[in-house]
Amino acid sequence: MTYELWYWNGIPGRGEFVRLALEAGAIAYRDCAREKGGEPSLLMGDMQKDRKHPPFAPPYLVADDMVIAQTAAILLFLGERHGLAPEGTKARMWVHQLQLTIADLVVEAHDVHHPIASGMYYEEQRDEALRRAPDFRDNRLPKYLGYFETVLAQREGWLVEGNTWSYADLSLFQVVDGLRFAFPQRMSKLAQNHERVMALHERVAALPELQDYLGSDRRLSFGDGLFRHYPELDAT
Amino acid sequence: MTYELWYWNGIPGRGEFVRLALEAGAIAYRDCAREKGGEPSLLMGDMQKDRKHPPFAPPYLVADDMVIAQTAAILLFLGERHGLAPEGTKARMWVHQLQLTIADLVVEAHDVHHPIASGMYYEEQRDEALRRAPDFRDNRLPKYLGYFETVLAQREGWLVEGNTWSYADLSLFQVVDGLRFAFPQRMSKLAQNHERVMALHERVAALPELQDYLGSDRRLSFGDGLFRHYPELDAT
């Protein structure tokens, strides 16, 4: 069976958390919204289908007769079915709660540049973004990174016990990657006392399972998506 | 076994989604942070425990040898273990993705009054809140309510197939309750074309399983938590 992934073409966004899991797990999928030229109408048309379990928003995964939306739910499903996380309720819930905390960080990182309305341009909410950014840089970001640093300090290099990655490790890699793109000065400073988080980023980037993908054009660059680099929002 | 729920005393907040599931499921629990006078130091002390699976933030549930954080993860766990959602991967993922969409709505509702920093007072970000509120009222809120209305239109009164509630129905009740408190004018208007969502709210409020709880002092009132009523942020 080949999964169908649906997510906006052109940005890594939330779709990238799913893509990384599919690629690292060598799981067959079609990146449907990027096929045939990748016009937005492809995804918008699929979203309008009359479905019993309609997704609220992309990304969503079509699997057998299921349509699963919400990034963390998709990863929970893939993790269980393809061994991308340890088995057993305790470990399964642990990886899932880490993923949900990563999802919270992603929302906050996005809302730095869109504090007023996701449907408005950045330029229309730049003043508010300038007010929100310091709190994110100085309070929220260190709080999240410090949490993951503490978790990693108890283990052997991964967020879960043992010697191998879970889907949450791939997602933490992606968030750190995005944060380094969006807040290069601040992340450079925070790297100094969050060595384990940074080491995890390097470790995932070097995974043999991901080398082909990371060097391919399936891997999208950051730009005007979740993580954006506005120099005025960054500082050490 | 008696579960230990940990969440800030004094506000319903995210803890209430868990409480409703525990109460409706007649599941034994202690509301730990509200015991012995409910001083904040109780929860803060527990949060500082050296744990293998530390929670990033409340609410969290101590169950057997597990510590499960993240509201949606707690509900997924309780749903599976106590039959608060249908069995089977397909139904389980459906209820979970609904819960995660409810969680997204909760974040957006909160951020209307706190668009700049969760650690600052409302009065310090009132100007920005006044700018964010119309987008929430006019775009985001109808989008979410419209989604749940569509889902309910395909079914028999509950978010899941069949004749009984799941934990996601309890959560949607709680969100509607909070939104009616925070945005009475707007919700009164939106009630006119979201009849099924409003009917679900009434149906949950009338559940025999919840009557004792809803009339007790275990059920907290809204105030200065997630859902807040600032008249200047509301409008039809």
Side-chain angles (χ1 to χ4, degrees):
Chain A
M1 198 212 67
T2 300
Y3 292 108
E4 291 182 15
L5 171 65
W6 286 92
Y7 189 71
W8 301 112
N9 186 20
I11 56 166
R14 288 183 170 84
E16 191 64 14
F17 299 102
V18 181
R19 255 181 232 117
L20 281 168
L22 291 164
E23 294 279 352
I27 299 163
Y29 73 104
R30 285 175 48 204
D31 205 343
C32 298
R34 295 178 64 192
E35 295 179 350
K36 303 183 221 161
E39 291 302 310
S41 58
L42 270 178
L43 174 53
M44 286 154 74
D46 194 77
M47 282 282 288
Q48 280 158 17
K49 278 187 186 166
D50 186 22
R51 287 186 161 114
K52 200 172 162 192
H53 294 162
F56 178 73
Y60 55 93
L61 191 76
V62 181
D64 310 327
D65 63 340
M66 286 181 277
V67 181
I68 305 172
Q70 286 283 353
T71 310
I74 297 170
L75 291 170
L76 178 73
F77 168 79
L78 290 173
E80 287 178 13
R81 186 177 275 202
H82 297 277
L84 309 182
E87 289 184 4
T89 302
K90 189 174 179 177
R92 201 163 55 86
M93 296 309 293
W94 170 240
V95 183
H96 188 50
Q97 82 178 62
L98 288 169
Q99 188 66 40
L100 289 169
T101 301
I102 291 169
D104 288 344
L105 169 53
V106 167
V107 170
E108 294 192 35
H110 168 272
D111 287 1
V112 169
H113 56 77
H114 273 71
I116 300 301
S118 55
M120 283 166 50
Y121 289 111
Y122 166 66
E123 288 70 21
E124 298 175 84
Q125 49 200 311
R126 188 173 172 275
D127 289 348
E128 292 86 352
L130 283 166
R131 259 202 99 195
R132 181 162 175 146
D135 180 67
F136 180 73
R137 291 195 309 264
D138 300 342
N139 299 318
R140 302 301 294 170
L141 187 49
K143 181 170 177 175
Y144 279 104
L145 294 182
Y147 173 74
F148 292 114
E149 189 75 9
T150 301
V151 167
L152 289 167
Q154 301 174 321
R155 294 173 172 79
E156 301 163 57
W158 303 106
L159 291 167
V160 179
E161 287 70 31
N163 282 309
T164 190
W165 54 270
S166 69
Y167 64 78
D169 294 288
L170 307 179
S171 290
L172 186 55
F173 154 80
Q174 179 63 13
V175 168
V176 170
D177 222 49
L179 290 167
R180 296 203 324 188
F181 169 79
F183 305 96
Q185 292 191 61
R186 184 60 181 146
M187 285 300 283
S188 175
K189 175 83 175 174
L190 287 171
Q192 294 167 19
N193 50 353
H194 295 87
E195 291 174 12
R196 293 180 181 88
V197 173
M198 300 306 147
L200 179 135
H201 177 269
E202 297 310 312
R203 207 169 293 123
V204 171
L207 280 178
E209 300 93 312
L210 282 177
Q211 293 316 299
D212 174 61
Y213 172 63
L214 294 177
S216 75
D217 60 5
R218 300 196 299 287
R219 169 82 172 169
L220 292 161
S221 302
F222 294 113
D224 283 341
L226 277 177
F227 297 104
R228 303 190 187 184
H229 178 53
Y230 296 113
E232 65 271 28
L233 302 184
D234 190 23
T236 53
Chain B
M1 198 212 68
T2 299
Y3 292 108
E4 291 182 14
L5 171 65
W6 287 91
Y7 189 71
W8 301 112
N9 186 19
I11 55 167
R14 287 183 171 83
E16 190 64 15
F17 298 101
V18 181
R19 254 180 233 117
L20 281 168
L22 291 164
E23 295 279 354
I27 300 164
Y29 73 104
R30 285 175 48 206
D31 205 344
C32 297
R34 296 177 65 192
E35 296 178 351
K36 303 182 222 162
E39 290 302 310
S41 58
L42 270 178
L43 175 53
M44 286 155 75
D46 194 77
M47 282 282 288
Q48 279 157 18
K49 277 188 187 166
D50 185 22
R51 286 186 161 115
K52 201 173 162 191
H53 294 164
F56 178 73
Y60 55 93
L61 191 78
V62 182
D64 308 328
D65 61 342
M66 287 181 278
V67 181
I68 305 172
Q70 287 282 354
T71 310
I74 297 170
L75 291 170
L76 178 73
F77 168 79
L78 290 174
E80 287 178 12
R81 187 177 274 200
H82 297 278
L84 310 183
E87 290 186 3
T89 301
K90 189 174 180 177
R92 202 164 55 86
M93 296 308 293
W94 170 240
V95 182
H96 189 49
Q97 81 178 61
L98 288 170
Q99 187 66 42
L100 289 168
T101 300
I102 290 169
D104 288 345
L105 169 54
V106 167
V107 170
E108 294 192 35
H110 168 271
D111 286 3
V112 169
H113 57 77
H114 273 71
I116 300 302
S118 53
M120 283 165 50
Y121 290 109
Y122 166 66
E123 289 70 21
E124 298 175 85
Q125 48 200 312
R126 188 171 172 276
D127 290 347
E128 292 86 351
L130 283 166
R131 258 203 98 195
R132 182 163 174 145
D135 180 67
F136 180 73
R137 291 195 311 262
D138 299 341
N139 300 317
R140 303 300 294 170
L141 187 49
K143 182 171 176 173
Y144 279 104
L145 294 183
Y147 172 74
F148 291 114
E149 188 75 10
T150 301
V151 167
L152 289 168
Q154 301 173 322
R155 294 175 173 78
E156 300 161 58
W158 303 106
L159 292 167
V160 179
E161 287 70 32
N163 282 310
T164 190
W165 55 270
S166 69
Y167 63 78
D169 293 288
L170 308 179
S171 290
L172 186 55
F173 155 80
Q174 179 63 13
V175 168
V176 170
D177 221 48
L179 290 167
R180 296 205 320 190
F181 169 78
F183 305 95
Q185 291 191 59
R186 185 58 180 147
M187 285 299 284
S188 175
K189 174 84 175 173
L190 287 171
Q192 294 167 18
N193 50 352
H194 296 87
E195 290 175 12
R196 292 179 180 87
V197 173
M198 300 307 146
L200 180 135
H201 176 270
E202 298 310 311
R203 206 170 293 123
V204 171
L207 280 178
E209 301 92 311
L210 283 176
Q211 293 317 299
D212 174 60
Y213 172 63
L214 294 177
S216 75
D217 60 6
R218 301 196 300 287
R219 169 82 172 169
L220 292 161
S221 302
F222 295 114
D224 283 342
L226 279 177
F227 297 103
R228 302 190 187 184
H229 178 53
Y230 296 114
E232 63 271 28
L233 302 184
D234 190 21
T236 52

